[in-house]
Amino acid sequence: MVVGIGNGIGIGIGESRDLMTQLVKMGANGGSGSRNTSPMGRRVGSRNVSPSKQKAIKTKPRGLDEETIAKFAKSPQPDVQMEDDIWAMLPEDLLNEILARIPPFMIFRLRSVCKRWNSILLDSAFLQFHSQVPSHGPCLLTFYKNSVNSQSQTPQCSVFSLPLKQWYRIPFTFLPQWAICLIGSSGGLVCFSGLDGSTFKTLICNPLTQTFQILPLMHHNIQRQLTMVVDRSQRTFKIIAANDLYGDKSLPTEVYDSRFGQWSVNQTMPAVNFCSSKMAFCDSRLYLETLSPIGLMVYRVDTGYWEHVPAKFPRSLLDGYLIAGVKKRLFLVGRVGVYSTIQSMRIWELDHGKVMWVEVTRMPPRYFRGLLRLSAERFECFGQDNLILFTSWNQGKGLLYDVDKKVWSWIAGCGLRLYNGQVCFYEPRFDASIY
């Protein structure tokens, strides 16, 4: 099910008050989707539900834990009706505390309650509270275009919340009508690049606040391989432009720093033969796969120089994707085998000390067959915070692997979006600044 979160959605005041009543109760237990681990929280009947809802209720905790089933006794307490006077007397800081813990996508539904809540995204006090609460959790952002007629396409954006296991549609009409493509996301910001006529341009935006910034033109302004990284503690971001998108030209590496609002020109990458256009940013370093010389090319942001890491690829590797994990973890994901024999999907981790790839796990055969029915079928791979997402272009399926928990799971209801669009991990945040 897809839930719209644009300003056009209508919601009654009574419905909003009931929704806020439930959210206040969840906020008292540590925020929406959090697990209650206190002894009192585990007692039967501790949750307020109506007598007509005495069935088994599924509760979805924050994160990717499996669903837990809570059974209630035959005499639960009735719902507590919140009075208008109570909300009127609620202290401002407590109200901001409650609203800051609501899942970001529900804020849009609550903005139609009153003028105060409608302007909450511009309230510095709310944004301060929001920046201090734990993250909503990982999401998947899909950017695609629906064909309205034969001459125009309307950009669409949908976000799948992994904690809530639900799709939300975000209006993207606030962006310029260029031929843009998705670059990636970091710290609540999303980066796009594309052609405005014949001029290559880059922009970053915050989908939740519907704001964007067009970056200045690069010194060597042609289509480049780009990646974005956000430093939330400093409230800054950087865009790194590596080599030419098609590999035809040798260009100096350029870095855009939001602190200075301009591009800086750095060392030109040494001449190499790339084996993949995918890049991974890990531990303040940008990694690319190369065949000649074999291994990895690494760009150090702190020094502005490139270096070669002679990490040989696993034998019989058909195609590989570099995935950045948490801290210094760097993963390699790819198929092993030949096109005429049975293949398998494997995940390796780079041992920085020994400069070699160490196998972490293999995709179970039933998941591999469900993801790729044909041996030569194309797939894509994305990662964030030790989560790895596999998508199949032809099958339109999404398969998620949690490296820490060693759990494989399908992403439901994403076939059409993954088939027609571009995908990246996304962390929804109202306090992510585009400047």
Side-chain angles (χ1 to χ4, degrees):
M1 179 175 64
V2 179
V3 179
I5 63 173
N7 294 331
I9 187 170
I11 180 171
I13 295 180
E15 181 185 351
S16 299
R17 187 181 297 115
D18 294 340
L19 176 62
M20 280 302 301
T21 302
Q22 300 173 18
L23 293 170
V24 170
K25 296 175 184 177
M26 291 190 292
N29 289 329
S32 172
S34 61
R35 187 187 301 274
N36 188 352
T37 57
S38 65
M40 292 298 294
R42 297 193 190 101
R43 294 195 318 184
V44 173
S46 61
R47 187 186 297 259
N48 294 331
V49 295
S50 62
S52 61
K53 298 181 180 179
Q54 298 177 13
K55 301 178 181 179
I57 299 178
K58 292 183 178 181
T59 62
K60 296 184 178 181
R62 183 187 298 272
L64 299 175
D65 294 339
E66 296 182 356
E67 294 181 351
T68 58
I69 306 299
K71 295 184 178 180
F72 295 89
K74 60 182 180 180
S75 300
Q77 299 178 2
D79 285 337
V80 177
Q81 298 298 325
M82 299 296 290
E83 301 293 338
D84 294 341
D85 293 341
I86 296 179
W87 286 106
M89 296 185 297
L90 199 64
E92 192 75 9
D93 57 344
L94 180 57
L95 178 61
N96 284 326
E97 179 87 23
I98 294 172
L99 294 176
R101 295 179 180 275
I102 295 175
F105 310 107
M106 294 185 181
I107 291 289
F108 287 87
R109 298 180 59 192
L110 299 175
R111 292 178 64 186
S112 60
V113 174
C114 61
K115 293 182 179 180
R116 163 69 180 88
W117 289 8
N118 185 49
S119 61
I120 192 171
L121 299 184
L122 303 176
D123 189 338
S124 58
F126 165 76
L127 296 178
Q128 179 65 22
F129 277 105
H130 178 74
S131 65
Q132 296 174 356
V133 300
S135 171
H136 167 74
C139 297
L140 298 177
L141 183 144
T142 65
F143 178 76
Y144 55 100
K145 294 184 178 181
N146 284 344
S147 297
V148 178
N149 51 54
S150 59
Q151 297 181 349
S152 65
Q153 290 184 325
T154 304
Q156 302 287 335
C157 177
S158 294
V159 174
F160 182 77
S161 168
L162 292 174
L164 300 179
K165 295 180 173 61
Q166 189 172 13
W167 283 97
Y168 297 88
R169 184 176 294 115
I170 299 180
F172 253 52
T173 54
F174 69 98
L175 290 182
Q177 298 300 309
W178 305 341
I180 61 176
C181 63
L182 176 65
I183 299 300
S185 175
S186 176
L189 298 179
V190 182
C191 181
F192 292 91
S193 69
L195 295 174
D196 180 13
S198 59
T199 305
F200 179 71
K201 293 183 178 181
T202 306
L203 67 84
I204 57 102
C205 70
N206 185 331
L208 290 184
T209 60
Q210 303 279 279
T211 56
F212 72 93
Q213 177 193 180
I214 301 175
L215 302 186
L217 300 181
M218 290 179 285
H219 296 83
H220 300 270
N221 196 55
I222 64 174
Q223 290 181 286
R224 309 276 292 270
Q225 285 182 294
L226 303 175
T227 190
M228 178 180 67
V229 57
V230 172
D231 187 341
R232 282 194 57 204
S233 62
Q234 301 294 328
R235 298 180 63 84
T236 62
F237 66 89
K238 292 181 180 180
I239 307 290
I240 305 173
N243 61 311
D244 173 22
L245 185 63
Y246 303 102
D248 297 331
K249 298 180 180 180
S250 180
L251 299 173
T253 304
E254 298 191 37
V255 178
Y256 178 85
D257 194 326
S258 63
R259 294 176 301 174
F260 310 113
Q262 61 184 9
W263 294 89
S264 61
V265 179
N266 298 278
Q267 181 192 20
T268 300
M269 182 191 302
V272 295
N273 182 15
F274 294 102
C275 63
S276 173
S277 62
K278 301 297 182 181
M279 303 182 294
F281 189 85
C282 177
D283 190 32
S284 300
R285 293 171 173 85
L286 183 65
Y287 291 85
L288 295 93
E289 302 172 77
T290 62
L291 288 176
S292 177
I294 191 168
L296 302 171
M297 288 302 300
V298 183
Y299 177 75
R300 296 178 59 98
V301 178
D302 54 348
T303 63
Y305 288 96
W306 289 90
E307 60 185 36
H308 177 250
V309 176
K312 295 184 178 180
F313 298 115
R315 295 185 59 182
S316 303
L317 180 67
L318 298 178
D319 40 25
Y321 290 87
L322 293 176
I323 301 295
V326 296
K327 298 181 180 180
K328 297 183 179 181
R329 303 188 72 177
L330 182 67
F331 300 103
L332 174 65
V333 180
R335 288 179 291 191
V336 170
V338 294
Y339 289 102
S340 59
T341 61
I342 298 177
Q343 305 172 27
S344 64
M345 190 82 72
R346 305 184 187 182
I347 302 175
W348 298 266
E349 182 176 355
L350 180 64
D351 187 324
H352 295 274
K354 298 180 179 179
V355 193
M356 62 180 297
W357 295 102
V358 179
E359 184 173 323
V360 175
T361 188
R362 302 184 182 187
M363 182 182 293
R366 63 188 181 95
Y367 287 110
F368 182 76
R369 291 191 298 267
L371 183 71
L372 302 173
R373 295 183 180 180
L374 303 176
S375 59
E377 196 168 338
R378 186 176 178 182
F379 77 100
E380 291 281 353
C381 194
F382 314 89
Q384 176 180 297
D385 296 340
N386 291 350
L387 296 175
I388 300 176
L389 174 69
F390 300 83
T391 63
S392 169
W393 281 41
N394 292 336
Q395 302 302 324
K397 295 181 179 179
L399 179 62
L400 186 71
Y401 179 65
D402 190 319
V403 177
D404 295 330
K405 298 179 180 179
K406 301 180 180 180
V407 174
W408 299 87
S409 58
W410 293 106
I411 302 297
C414 60
L416 179 62
R417 299 176 183 85
L418 294 181
Y419 182 79
N420 292 329
Q422 302 163 304
V423 190
C424 69
F425 276 94
Y426 169 63
E427 178 189 3
R429 298 209 63 89
F430 289 106
D431 59 323
S433 174
I434 61 173
Y435 298 104

